[in-house]
Amino acid sequence: MNSQNYYELYRLSSIGTALTDALDVLIGEGRISPQLAMKVLNNFDRVITETLSKNVDANLTFKGHLDTYRFCDEVWTFLLKDVTFKLQRSEMITADRVKIVSCNSKKPGEA
Amino acid sequence: MSNAAVGDVYQKIINDVLDSSGIDFEEAGVASVVLHELGAQWRKKLTDLRVATFPWDPAPQQPQPIPDNKKVNNSMQAKVKSEIPQQLPQQQQHMQHHPHQLVGGVHLKQEPNDQDGLGAINPNLAAMRAAQNIQMKYPTQEVPSGLQQVVAAGARPNGARPTGPGLMLPGSMGQSQIPQHDGASDIRPIPADEPAWRSNSGGVISREEADRIIERQMAEGRGMPQMDGPDDDDDEEDEDAINSDLDDPDEDDQGEAEDDEIPQIMLCTYEKVQRTKNKWKCVLKDGVLTVNGREYVFRKANGEYEW
């Protein structure tokens, strides 16, 4: 097992839910144990955190209207409305509602 | 950052997770076939979500796997707009012949019954029919008014009158044995330990005596028990007593209002969150953003928003 703990937050992403679903199927068929699935998920937590920080080189800015904010257990939750994301290459995305869930980047050991 | 980068990043994540899970599978004594199957399932489920184009996807049959709703709407609108001018002359002709067809590229199938109104549900018509039937059954010009009412109410089709004494007013009972339905009795039973009650013979006390008993109780601070429902003054407090807006169940659901759809969510870590008055600024890192059915990854994001 990993000595360091990583945030489990990315399990909510599409790649995380896809993995969870795939693991659920295998557990349901009795082909892997839930314990093994947990190990895979822990590996996923580590790999996605490392990959996002090392293999992604993209910045974006966004503006919007803050509808709700919450800071609990070191986790910021923002509910934004009428958001405009500005990507590189001047690509723009608009969304009428986006939820942001954000963990502290300073203490990744204390997930 | 762009959506195109997501495919490669996710490919790498999947491969790395599968690689590092190989040992765990071995330790658990699970064949590596299962691990391969997990990878295949994982990729397939990710493809099904259609949040990006992935390297393992078969050669793109459709260049844009899942157009988000706005794109669909736009293209649909454009299509409709381009078709309308061509169709208009035709439709004008149509409209002269078939007044029931609608403009706007939508052709409605004509209901044959539509013309005489038979197809439509018309309550007035039904009432008229009923009245006609009655007229036919009772040709003597005047239908008994009572019967009409009975028919209208749909009860007692035989027209039989209710038997018995008929409607009775409470007062006609003579005795005041009417059960009380409008709350607790105003007359408060006098407690048995009341000295005035004991001293009084016959069990009947006069009004003056009753007043005195009440006055004494008030003086003793016992007060009057409230029998007519909760205190009126409390009503306003009840609305926002302990409950706050945070307890509103639908308030929290807004973020994931469309549960069956792909959520609009950004998962990331924060480096800095600042606020001055209602202006917020934040620096976010290592994020995955899902918006309008597309997925994006970023290393750093700067956000500004006002509350």
Side-chain angles (χ1 to χ4, degrees), chain B residues 182-200:
Chain B
D182 58 351
S185 169
D186 293 339
I187 305 160
R188 178 176 169 265
I190 308 294
D193 62 345
E194 195 62 50
W197 176 249
R198 263 186 269 127
S199 66
N200 205 296

Side-chain angles (χ1 to χ4, degrees), chain A residues 75-104:
Chain A
V75 178
W76 274 107
T77 308
F78 300 110
L79 195 57
L80 296 182
K81 285 187 172 170
D82 304 319
V83 199
T84 310
F85 295 94
K86 201 178 283 179
L87 319 181
Q88 281 167 345
R89 294 186 237 136
S90 68
E91 198 183 335
M92 302 267 282
I93 314 167
T94 55
D96 50 356
R97 172 179 295 166
V98 173
K99 186 180 185 178
I100 299 179
V101 181
S102 187
C103 295
N104 196 340

Side-chain angles (χ1 to χ4, degrees), chain A residues 7 9-19 21-23 25-26 29 31-33 36 39-40 43-44 46-49 51-71 74-76 78-81 85 87-89 91 93-106, chain B residues 1-3 9-14 16-17 20-22 24-25 27-28 30 33-35 37-38 41-42 45-46 49 51 54 70 251-258 262-273 275 280 282 284-292 295-307:
Chain A
Y7 288 129
L9 139 112
Y10 297 111
R11 293 181 191 182
L12 298 171
S13 65
S14 61
I15 187 170
T17 51
L19 173 60
D21 288 351
L23 288 169
V25 170
L26 290 177
E29 291 169 352
R31 303 175 71 181
I32 61 168
S33 63
L36 181 57
K39 286 185 181 177
V40 176
N43 290 335
F44 170 77
R46 173 177 52 81
V47 169
I48 192 169
T49 307
T51 309
L52 284 175
S53 62
K54 285 177 196 160
N55 293 70
V56 176
D57 184 25
N59 296 331
L60 84 153
T61 57
F62 59 95
K63 291 185 178 187
H65 177 76
L66 179 59
D67 186 69
T68 311
Y69 59 89
R70 189 180 306 148
F71 183 64
E74 293 279 299
V75 178
W76 274 107
F78 300 110
L79 195 57
L80 296 182
K81 285 187 172 170
F85 295 94
L87 319 181
Q88 281 167 345
R89 294 186 237 136
E91 198 183 335
I93 314 167
T94 55
D96 50 356
R97 172 179 295 166
V98 173
K99 186 180 185 178
I100 299 179
V101 181
S102 187
C103 295
N104 196 340
S105 65
K106 300 251 168 53
Chain B
M1 108 159 182
S2 86
N3 187 241
V9 171
Y10 281 14
Q11 166 93 313
K12 182 176 164 37
I13 291 172
I14 291 175
D16 286 1
V17 170
S20 48
S21 299
D24 295 323
F25 270 69
E27 281 177 0
V30 177
V33 188
V34 182
L35 182 63
E37 197 175 313
L38 172 66
Q41 281 285 327
W42 189 359
K45 286 184 187 296
L46 207 44
L49 288 173
V51 289
F54 297 107
K70 281 180 185 170
E251 185 89 354
D252 212 39
D253 291 341
Q254 286 181 347
E256 46 265 281
E258 308 94 13
I262 300 169
Q264 307 261 55
I265 195 164
M266 180 195 277
L267 305 163
C268 55
T269 59
Y270 61 85
E271 213 157 57
K272 213 160 52 174
V273 177
R275 180 189 64 84
W280 290 73
C282 61
L284 307 173
K285 270 178 60 184
D286 303 344
V288 182
L289 168 66
T290 314
V291 169
N292 302 335
E295 195 127 308
Y296 305 87
V297 287
F298 62 87
R299 188 161 73 172
K300 197 176 167 190
N302 290 290
E304 287 181 31
Y305 31 83
E306 77 276 352
W307 185 67

Side-chain angles (χ1 to χ4, degrees), chain B residues 128-172:
Chain B
M128 264 171 52
R129 291 260 164 89
Q132 278 173 6
N133 278 342
I134 293 170
Q135 287 284 352
M136 280 162 65
K137 279 195 179 172
Y138 303 90
T140 47
Q141 54 273 59
E142 43 138 5
V143 177
S145 63
L147 185 61
Q148 251 178 353
Q149 282 166 7
V150 165
V151 170
R156 283 193 275 277
N158 300 335
R161 293 263 166 190
T163 52
L167 200 62
M168 280 172 58
L169 286 176
S172 64

Side-chain angles (χ1 to χ4, degrees), chain B residues 232-248:
Chain B
D232 293 343
D233 295 343
D234 286 345
D235 283 0
E236 286 177 22
E237 287 174 15
D238 273 354
E239 285 201 354
D240 47 5
I242 302 171
N243 318 317
S244 78
D245 289 347
L246 292 174
D247 293 337
D248 267 352

